[in-house]
Amino acid sequence: MTIALSADSHSPSGNSPNHAALTAKAGWRGLIETYRPYLPVTDQTPVVTLHEGNTPLIPAPAIAAQIGRQVTVLVKYDGLNPTGSFKDRGMTMAISKAKEAGAKAVICASTGNTSAAAAAYARRGGMRAFVLIPEGYVALGKLAQALLYGAEVMAIKGNFDQALTIVREMSEHYPVTLVNSVNPYRLEGQKTAAFEIVDALGDAPDWLCIPVGNAGNITAYWMGFCQYHQEQRCTKLPQMMGFQAAGAAPFITGQPVAHPETLATAIRIGNPANWERAIAVQHASQGKFTAVTDTEILDAYRLLAAEEGIFCEPASAASVAGLLKVKEFIPSGATVVCVLTGNGLKDPDTAIKHSNNQLHQGIAPEMNAVAQAMGF
Amino acid sequence: MTIALSADSHSPSGNSPNHAALTAKAGWRGLIETYRPYLPVTDQTPVVTLHEGNTPLIPAPAIAAQIGRQVTVLVKYDGLNPTGSFKDRGMTMAISKAKEAGAKAVICASTGNTSAAAAAYARRGGMRAFVLIPEGYVALGKLAQALLYGAEVMAIKGNFDQALTIVREMSEHYPVTLVNSVNPYRLEGQKTAAFEIVDALGDAPDWLCIPVGNAGNITAYWMGFCQYHQEQRCTKLPQMMGFQAAGAAPFITGQPVAHPETLATAIRIGNPANWERAIAVQHASQGKFTAVTDTEILDAYRLLAAEEGIFCEPASAASVAGLLKVKEFIPSGATVVCVLTGNGLKDPDTAIKHSNNQLHQGIAPEMNAVAQAMGF
């Protein structure tokens, strides 16, 4: 059977649900099909998709209450992409274009999220996936994913920056396509998150708060907002507020960090690949880079879970930690979107280690014992 | 600012993207708002939502190829709900109705996924969440979630069935609202997955393959298909094909299983709460219950990841394992939907333990060493 784009052939009886929503939901077939006119694809491009994108933009009233002054805060929960992070947005583009070019194998260096996305899309596209990781610094869930997706994972005795150097060399000397964020198609896919935010709000937000590691995502969001602005789909551009972990904050110190350290592993990067572009974004958007400590990141991480019901990975919480850190500078009545780049399930160890909540164990299996443990 | 339901106020220039899709995506505000006319809510119901639902229905060509005969296979990837499982669908309803009734605390027994959903929604709704779990049998990711969301988690020295008995008693004797699947609002929310499938396909599928544990979900899906059929939104009803783990298969053996055993923890249930209803669904839909072994479940789990790029939890793979087990009975040209109930990130230990793929460790950080490890 054919999968219809519209479900409107039946007339509803009685009360009528939101038919626009139903129809559109039915039609969601991933970023490339939805935003095709804005992306460098043609009818010849084989679309490798897991129906990524279309992630929720969720109001965050508890965070807004900490700011006050009629500020609206929403989080773009990109951890609900198919492999659990925003990386899927770029990977559907990079892998589709690699397949179009005839590639049989792809390679990337990754602290985790990129490896999972590369593996999933490469395998779905019928390609081999080689992944280089820095040994010892990758969260459990991420490694589990890459392996199960069928990636050939290699752990080097070095850091992320060394891994990135090697995969660049590999792609020059061997028949493997590089799918790190230096691959230009990655940023093309990632920019669609900005499209989705504008589509949801009806305009661009006043501030976009975003974690910054390799600085690809802040660059991509800005590309997206600018493109939509040129197309008159939004009337303004946001100030881009980038947040780095204090132990891996080259944009604040002004120079590469030789030994970056933070528990937010996804942004533990000392020498961002998109350095110049990120600085250009900051200037063009009248934005700012700010460092947040691991303590501030963990506080935001717990706040998001226990007050908003949203479980993100530690690096993602940097956007909320940063927002709260600079909240005095937010214009009254502004709309702020915080980007949550990854799913908290990627890193269960951090959740267990840094939860303030207690597990009551060894309770006898009968009501009175349970009631007593509950404090009744 | 007001969050607009429509983004159509701007006329696009140049090529035009799918505006129906853009608008509708913008409008997705969770199950209750989307399917309000089909749900037992009123204007007085405070909607507690994380924008659950709207999960991808992804073609599975590799699985279809193992069947042949022009059969179309799609997976409903409900692991992309906000807390990582289909339980969010029921919990937005159960918590909203509990809040409407003035509840200050909720309680549930859970092998894992329900606890995460109950905790997230209860906390978002400003309530306390008590969770009873059977000690020692809950996957890491799930426990991490409940704790971080702020649940008060109690592990009893007993199994799931004992925990369920205790929470039922607790809700009768203490001021806590029961949000297990015996809560009728849970199934009302869960039925919306059937709505989404019909909306996406334009009609009901011929077969719906679904993992069966407590048997709430198969009951809820059937409710949804029947309701849509009555409203003439689909022209047919699917055959409901339920799959239990061989070590926890009361519907196949015909009697409760005292000590259920399977690595698919989410369906390790010996005495399903919805026993009679599930049997009624089987008869009414001309469906069938079939047992699948843990080996078959793991094979399907790996197949989904390495061939389709989809990472689900082991219990979810029972639907695909079952489909492949009974594939000779599928009518030629049929459309089959397999329900994937939970995200694979819920259970990274199983992924690492049962991946067939190798991690190459200790490689020197230079290109020639990496190329050699890759086999070049």
Side-chain angles (χ1 to χ4, degrees):
Chain A
M1 65 178 283
T2 311
I3 298 172
L5 271 174
S6 167
D8 273 352
S9 53
H10 303 290
S11 295
S13 61
N15 290 323
S16 179
N18 180 342
H19 277 269
L22 298 183
T23 306
K25 180 164 48 69
W28 189 263
R29 291 185 295 152
L31 293 180
I32 293 178
E33 294 304 344
T34 304
Y35 296 111
R36 181 175 278 276
Y38 298 115
L39 295 170
V41 291
T42 71
D43 293 346
Q44 275 66 56
T45 310
V47 177
V48 181
T49 180
L50 289 164
H51 295 206
E52 59 293 318
N54 194 21
T55 56
L57 185 67
I58 309 175
I63 296 165
Q66 292 202 12
I67 299 167
R69 294 183 289 117
Q70 288 78 52
V71 171
T72 298
V73 179
L74 305 103
V75 295
K76 181 64 173 167
Y77 191 15
D78 240 13
L80 296 191
N81 275 298
T83 80
S85 87
F86 76 101
K87 302 284 186 176
D88 294 344
R89 295 183 181 275
M91 211 52 80
T92 185
M93 277 297 303
I95 297 292
S96 295
K97 295 300 287 188
K99 192 173 171 74
E100 183 178 7
K104 304 292 185 207
V106 302
I107 191 167
C108 67
S110 173
T111 53
N113 283 331
T114 299
S115 70
Y121 284 82
R123 295 299 301 158
R124 187 162 175 92
M127 286 172 253
R128 293 176 74 180
F130 293 105
V131 173
L132 253 69
I133 59 171
E135 198 161 291
Y137 283 105
V138 175
L140 181 67
K142 298 175 186 180
L143 186 56
Q145 278 185 285
L147 288 170
L148 198 71
Y149 284 134
E152 296 164 68
V153 181
M154 283 159 292
I156 62 160
K157 293 182 285 189
N159 62 21
F160 175 81
D161 299 319
Q162 291 171 290
L164 189 62
T165 300
I166 293 170
V167 297
R168 284 181 174 186
E169 290 173 355
M170 288 291 308
S171 70
E172 287 162 16
H173 292 88
Y174 296 94
V176 290
T177 300
L178 183 63
V179 294
N180 267 97
S181 65
V182 294
N183 176 316
Y185 298 116
R186 289 275 307 280
L187 298 190
E188 290 288 332
Q190 286 172 217
K191 76 184 180 189
T192 60
F195 297 165
E196 292 183 11
I197 289 170
V198 173
D199 290 336
L201 295 176
D203 205 342
D206 298 297
W207 275 22
L208 188 93
C209 297
I210 186 166
V212 174
N214 216 15
N217 213 26
I218 192 170
T219 305
Y221 268 86
W222 183 246
M223 285 164 55
F225 286 122
C226 289
Q227 192 168 3
Y228 249 32
H229 192 251
Q230 285 172 342
E231 298 277 339
Q232 296 181 292
R233 294 193 64 83
C234 51
T235 66
K236 60 186 175 186
L237 290 166
Q239 289 180 271
M240 302 294 283
M241 310 300 281
F243 299 100
Q244 297 196 302
F251 292 162
I252 289 85
T253 63
Q255 54 192 355
V257 176
H259 302 290
E261 279 304 332
T262 168
L263 64 71
T265 53
I267 55 172
R268 184 168 53 199
I269 293 169
N271 192 12
N274 298 280
W275 190 299
E276 292 81 9
R277 283 195 279 193
I279 300 298
V281 168
Q282 182 209 337
H283 288 299
S285 76
Q286 301 178 294
K288 193 172 190 306
F289 290 111
T290 306
V292 287
T293 66
D294 280 8
T295 300
E296 291 164 335
I297 289 172
L298 285 173
D299 285 345
Y301 172 74
R302 282 184 288 253
L303 171 67
L304 277 162
E307 300 293 326
E308 305 289 5
I310 296 166
F311 184 34
C312 64
E313 61 176 338
S316 299
S319 64
V320 170
L323 171 64
L324 293 174
K325 189 164 192 168
V326 301
K327 65 182 181 183
E328 65 189 290
F329 303 107
I330 305 168
S332 292
T335 296
V336 179
V337 171
C338 293
V339 177
L340 303 182
T341 46
N343 197 313
L345 290 170
K346 292 269 195 172
D347 191 0
D349 293 340
T350 296
I352 288 177
K353 188 172 177 189
H354 295 285
S355 164
N356 287 338
N357 303 300
Q358 204 186 337
L359 171 66
H360 305 269
Q361 286 180 288
I363 302 167
E366 53 91 21
M367 185 183 75
N368 290 337
V370 172
Q372 189 176 21
M374 284 169 60
F376 285 114
Chain B
M1 68 178 281
T2 312
I3 297 171
L5 271 174
S6 167
D8 274 352
S9 53
H10 302 290
S11 295
S13 62
N15 289 323
S16 180
N18 180 343
H19 277 269
L22 297 185
T23 306
K25 178 165 50 70
W28 189 263
R29 292 185 295 152
L31 293 180
I32 292 178
E33 295 304 344
T34 304
Y35 295 111
R36 182 175 275 277
Y38 298 114
L39 295 170
V41 291
T42 71
D43 292 346
Q44 274 65 55
T45 310
V47 176
V48 181
T49 180
L50 289 163
H51 294 204
E52 59 294 317
N54 196 21
T55 56
L57 185 68
I58 309 174
I63 296 166
Q66 292 201 11
I67 299 167
R69 295 182 290 116
Q70 286 79 51
V71 170
T72 298
V73 180
L74 306 103
V75 296
K76 180 64 173 166
Y77 191 17
D78 240 13
L80 295 191
N81 274 297
T83 80
S85 86
F86 76 101
K87 303 283 185 177
D88 294 344
R89 295 182 180 276
M91 211 54 79
T92 185
M93 276 297 303
I95 297 292
S96 295
K97 295 301 285 188
K99 191 173 172 73
E100 182 178 6
K104 305 291 184 208
V106 302
I107 191 168
C108 67
S110 174
T111 52
N113 283 330
T114 299
S115 70
Y121 284 82
R123 296 299 300 157
R124 187 162 175 92
M127 286 172 254
R128 292 176 74 181
F130 293 106
V131 173
L132 254 68
I133 58 171
E135 199 161 292
Y137 282 105
V138 175
L140 181 67
K142 297 175 188 179
L143 186 57
Q145 278 185 285
L147 288 169
L148 199 71
Y149 285 134
E152 296 165 67
V153 181
M154 283 159 291
I156 62 161
K157 292 182 286 190
N159 63 21
F160 175 81
D161 300 319
Q162 291 171 289
L164 188 62
T165 300
I166 292 170
V167 296
R168 284 181 174 187
E169 291 172 356
M170 289 290 310
S171 70
E172 286 162 17
H173 292 87
Y174 295 94
V176 291
T177 300
L178 183 64
V179 294
N180 267 98
S181 66
V182 294
N183 176 315
Y185 298 116
R186 290 274 309 280
L187 298 190
E188 290 290 332
Q190 286 173 217
K191 77 184 179 189
T192 60
F195 297 165
E196 292 184 11
I197 290 169
V198 173
D199 290 337
L201 295 176
D203 205 341
D206 298 296
W207 276 23
L208 188 93
C209 297
I210 187 167
V212 174
N214 216 16
N217 213 25
I218 192 171
T219 304
Y221 268 86
W222 184 246
M223 285 165 55
F225 286 122
C226 288
Q227 192 168 3
Y228 250 31
H229 192 249
Q230 285 171 343
E231 299 276 339
Q232 295 180 295
R233 293 193 66 84
C234 52
T235 67
K236 60 187 174 184
L237 290 166
Q239 288 180 270
M240 301 294 282
M241 310 300 281
F243 299 100
Q244 297 195 302
F251 292 161
I252 288 87
T253 63
Q255 55 192 355
V257 176
H259 302 289
E261 280 303 334
T262 169
L263 63 71
T265 54
I267 54 172
R268 184 168 52 198
I269 293 168
N271 192 12
N274 298 281
W275 189 298
E276 292 81 7
R277 284 195 279 193
I279 300 298
V281 169
Q282 181 209 338
H283 287 300
S285 76
Q286 301 179 295
K288 195 171 188 309
F289 290 112
T290 306
V292 287
T293 66
D294 281 8
T295 300
E296 289 165 336
I297 289 172
L298 285 172
D299 285 345
Y301 171 75
R302 283 185 288 252
L303 171 68
L304 276 161
E307 300 293 326
E308 305 288 6
I310 297 167
F311 184 32
C312 63
E313 62 176 338
S316 299
S319 64
V320 170
L323 170 64
L324 293 174
K325 189 164 191 168
V326 301
K327 64 182 181 182
E328 63 188 291
F329 302 107
I330 305 168
S332 292
T335 296
V336 178
V337 171
C338 293
V339 177
L340 302 183
T341 46
N343 198 313
L345 290 169
K346 292 269 194 171
D347 191 1
D349 293 339
T350 296
I352 288 177
K353 189 171 175 187
H354 294 285
S355 165
N356 287 339
N357 303 300
Q358 203 187 337
L359 170 66
H360 304 269
Q361 286 180 288
I363 302 167
E366 54 92 21
M367 185 184 76
N368 289 338
V370 173
Q372 188 175 21
M374 285 169 60
F376 285 114

Coordinates of all heavy atoms in Angstrom, one line a residue, chain B residues 284-319:
Chain B
A284 N -11.9 -11.0 19.2 CA -12.6 -10.0 18.4 C -11.8 -9.6 17.2 O -12.4 -9.3 16.1 CB -12.9 -8.7 19.2
S285 N -10.5 -9.6 17.3 CA -9.6 -9.2 16.1 C -9.2 -10.4 15.3 O -8.4 -10.2 14.3 CB -8.4 -8.4 16.6 OG -7.5 -9.3 17.2
Q286 N -9.6 -11.6 15.7 CA -9.0 -12.8 15.0 C -7.5 -12.8 15.1 O -6.9 -13.2 14.1 CB -9.5 -12.9 13.6 CG -11.1 -12.9 13.5 CD -11.6 -13.0 12.1 OE1 -11.4 -12.0 11.3 NE2 -12.2 -14.1 11.7
G287 N -7.0 -12.4 16.2 CA -5.6 -12.4 16.4 C -5.0 -13.6 17.1 O -5.7 -14.6 17.1
K288 N -3.8 -13.5 17.6 CA -3.2 -14.7 18.1 C -2.1 -14.3 19.1 O -1.4 -13.3 18.9 CB -2.5 -15.5 17.0 CG -2.1 -16.9 17.3 CD -1.7 -17.7 16.0 CE -1.4 -19.1 16.2 NZ -0.5 -19.5 17.2
F289 N -1.9 -15.1 20.2 CA -0.8 -14.9 21.1 C 0.2 -16.0 20.8 O -0.1 -17.1 20.6 CB -1.2 -15.0 22.5 CG -2.1 -13.9 23.0 CD1 -3.4 -14.0 23.3 CD2 -1.5 -12.6 23.1 CE1 -4.2 -12.9 23.7 CE2 -2.3 -11.5 23.5 CZ -3.6 -11.7 23.8
T290 N 1.5 -15.6 20.7 CA 2.6 -16.5 20.4 C 3.8 -16.2 21.4 O 4.0 -15.0 21.7 CB 3.1 -16.3 19.0 OG1 1.9 -16.4 18.1 CG2 4.1 -17.3 18.6
A291 N 4.5 -17.2 21.8 CA 5.6 -17.0 22.6 C 6.9 -16.9 21.8 O 7.0 -17.6 20.8 CB 5.8 -18.2 23.6
V292 N 7.8 -16.0 22.2 CA 9.1 -15.9 21.5 C 10.2 -16.1 22.6 O 10.1 -15.6 23.7 CB 9.3 -14.6 20.8 CG1 8.5 -14.6 19.5 CG2 9.0 -13.4 21.7
T293 N 11.2 -16.8 22.2 CA 12.3 -17.1 23.1 C 13.2 -15.9 23.3 O 13.2 -15.0 22.4 CB 13.2 -18.3 22.7 OG1 13.9 -17.9 21.5 CG2 12.3 -19.5 22.4
D294 N 14.0 -15.9 24.4 CA 15.0 -14.8 24.5 C 16.0 -14.7 23.4 O 16.4 -13.6 23.0 CB 15.7 -14.9 25.9 CG 14.9 -14.4 27.0 OD1 13.7 -14.1 26.9 OD2 15.4 -14.4 28.2
T295 N 16.3 -15.9 22.8 CA 17.3 -15.9 21.7 C 16.6 -15.2 20.5 O 17.3 -14.4 19.8 CB 17.6 -17.3 21.3 OG1 18.3 -17.9 22.5 CG2 18.6 -17.4 20.2
E296 N 15.4 -15.5 20.2 CA 14.7 -14.9 19.1 C 14.5 -13.4 19.4 O 14.6 -12.6 18.4 CB 13.3 -15.5 18.9 CG 13.4 -16.9 18.4 CD 12.1 -17.7 18.5 OE1 11.2 -17.4 19.4 OE2 11.9 -18.7 17.8
I297 N 14.3 -13.0 20.6 CA 14.1 -11.6 20.9 C 15.5 -10.8 20.7 O 15.5 -9.8 20.1 CB 13.7 -11.4 22.4 CG1 12.2 -11.8 22.6 CG2 13.9 -9.9 22.9 CD1 11.8 -11.8 24.0
L298 N 16.6 -11.4 21.1 CA 17.9 -10.8 20.9 C 18.3 -10.7 19.4 O 18.9 -9.7 19.0 CB 19.0 -11.6 21.7 CG 19.0 -11.3 23.2 CD1 19.9 -12.3 23.9 CD2 19.3 -9.9 23.5
D299 N 17.9 -11.8 18.7 CA 18.2 -11.7 17.2 C 17.4 -10.5 16.6 O 18.0 -9.8 15.7 CB 17.7 -13.0 16.6 CG 18.7 -14.2 16.8 OD1 19.8 -13.9 17.3 OD2 18.3 -15.3 16.6
A300 N 16.2 -10.3 17.0 CA 15.4 -9.2 16.4 C 15.9 -7.9 16.9 O 16.0 -6.9 16.1 CB 13.9 -9.4 16.8
Y301 N 16.4 -7.8 18.1 CA 17.0 -6.6 18.7 C 18.2 -6.2 17.9 O 18.4 -5.0 17.6 CB 17.3 -7.0 20.2 CG 18.1 -6.1 21.0 CD1 17.5 -4.9 21.6 CD2 19.4 -6.4 21.4 CE1 18.2 -4.2 22.5 CE2 20.1 -5.7 22.3 CZ 19.5 -4.5 22.8 OH 20.2 -3.7 23.7
R302 N 19.1 -7.2 17.6 CA 20.3 -6.8 16.8 C 19.9 -6.5 15.4 O 20.5 -5.6 14.8 CB 21.2 -8.0 16.9 CG 22.0 -8.1 18.2 CD 23.0 -9.3 18.2 NE 22.4 -10.5 18.2 CZ 22.4 -11.4 19.2 NH1 23.1 -11.0 20.4 NH2 21.8 -12.5 19.2
L303 N 19.0 -7.2 14.8 CA 18.5 -6.9 13.5 C 18.0 -5.5 13.3 O 18.4 -4.8 12.4 CB 17.4 -7.9 13.1 CG 16.7 -7.7 11.7 CD1 17.7 -7.9 10.5 CD2 15.5 -8.6 11.6
L304 N 17.2 -5.1 14.3 CA 16.6 -3.7 14.2 C 17.7 -2.7 14.3 O 17.7 -1.7 13.5 CB 15.7 -3.5 15.4 CG 14.2 -4.0 15.2 CD1 13.5 -4.2 16.5 CD2 13.5 -3.1 14.3
A305 N 18.7 -2.9 15.1 CA 19.8 -1.9 15.3 C 20.7 -1.9 14.0 O 21.0 -0.9 13.5 CB 20.6 -2.2 16.5
A306 N 21.2 -3.1 13.7 CA 22.3 -3.1 12.7 C 21.8 -3.1 11.2 O 22.6 -2.7 10.3 CB 23.1 -4.4 12.9
E307 N 20.5 -3.4 11.0 CA 20.0 -3.3 9.6 C 19.1 -2.1 9.4 O 19.0 -1.5 8.3 CB 19.3 -4.6 9.3 CG 20.1 -5.9 9.4 CD 21.2 -5.9 8.3 OE1 21.0 -5.4 7.2 OE2 22.3 -6.4 8.6
E308 N 18.3 -1.8 10.4 CA 17.3 -0.7 10.3 C 17.8 0.6 10.9 O 17.2 1.7 10.7 CB 15.9 -1.1 10.9 CG 15.3 -2.4 10.4 CD 14.8 -2.3 8.9 OE1 15.0 -1.2 8.3 OE2 14.2 -3.2 8.5
G309 N 18.8 0.5 11.8 CA 19.3 1.7 12.5 C 18.4 2.1 13.7 O 18.4 3.3 14.1
I310 N 17.6 1.2 14.3 CA 16.7 1.5 15.3 C 17.0 0.7 16.6 O 17.1 -0.5 16.6 CB 15.3 1.2 14.9 CG1 14.9 2.1 13.7 CG2 14.3 1.4 16.0 CD1 13.7 1.7 12.9
F311 N 17.2 1.4 17.7 CA 17.7 0.9 18.9 C 16.5 0.9 19.9 O 16.1 1.9 20.4 CB 18.8 1.7 19.4 CG 19.5 1.3 20.7 CD1 19.7 -0.1 21.0 CD2 20.1 2.2 21.6 CE1 20.3 -0.4 22.2 CE2 20.7 1.9 22.7 CZ 20.9 0.5 23.0
C312 N 16.0 -0.3 20.2 CA 14.8 -0.4 21.1 C 15.3 -1.3 22.3 O 16.3 -1.9 22.3 CB 13.6 -1.1 20.4 SG 13.9 -2.8 19.9
E313 N 14.4 -1.3 23.3 CA 14.8 -2.2 24.4 C 14.4 -3.6 24.1 O 13.6 -3.8 23.2 CB 14.2 -1.7 25.7 CG 12.7 -1.6 25.8 CD 12.2 -1.2 27.2 OE1 13.0 -1.3 28.2 OE2 11.1 -0.7 27.3
P314 N 15.0 -4.6 24.8 CA 14.8 -6.0 24.4 C 13.3 -6.4 24.3 O 12.9 -7.0 23.4 CB 15.5 -6.7 25.5 CG 16.6 -5.8 25.9 CD 16.0 -4.5 25.8
A315 N 12.5 -5.9 25.3 CA 11.1 -6.3 25.3 C 10.4 -5.8 24.0 O 9.5 -6.5 23.4 CB 10.3 -5.7 26.5
S316 N 10.8 -4.7 23.5 CA 10.2 -4.1 22.3 C 10.4 -5.0 21.1 O 9.6 -5.2 20.2 CB 10.7 -2.7 22.0 OG 10.5 -1.8 23.0
A317 N 11.6 -5.6 21.1 CA 12.0 -6.5 19.9 C 11.1 -7.7 19.8 O 11.1 -8.4 18.8 CB 13.5 -6.8 20.0
A318 N 10.4 -8.0 20.9 CA 9.5 -9.2 20.9 C 8.5 -9.1 19.7 O 8.1 -10.1 19.1 CB 8.8 -9.4 22.2
S319 N 8.1 -7.8 19.4 CA 7.1 -7.7 18.3 C 7.7 -8.1 17.0 O 7.0 -8.7 16.1 CB 6.6 -6.3 18.3 OG 7.6 -5.3 17.9

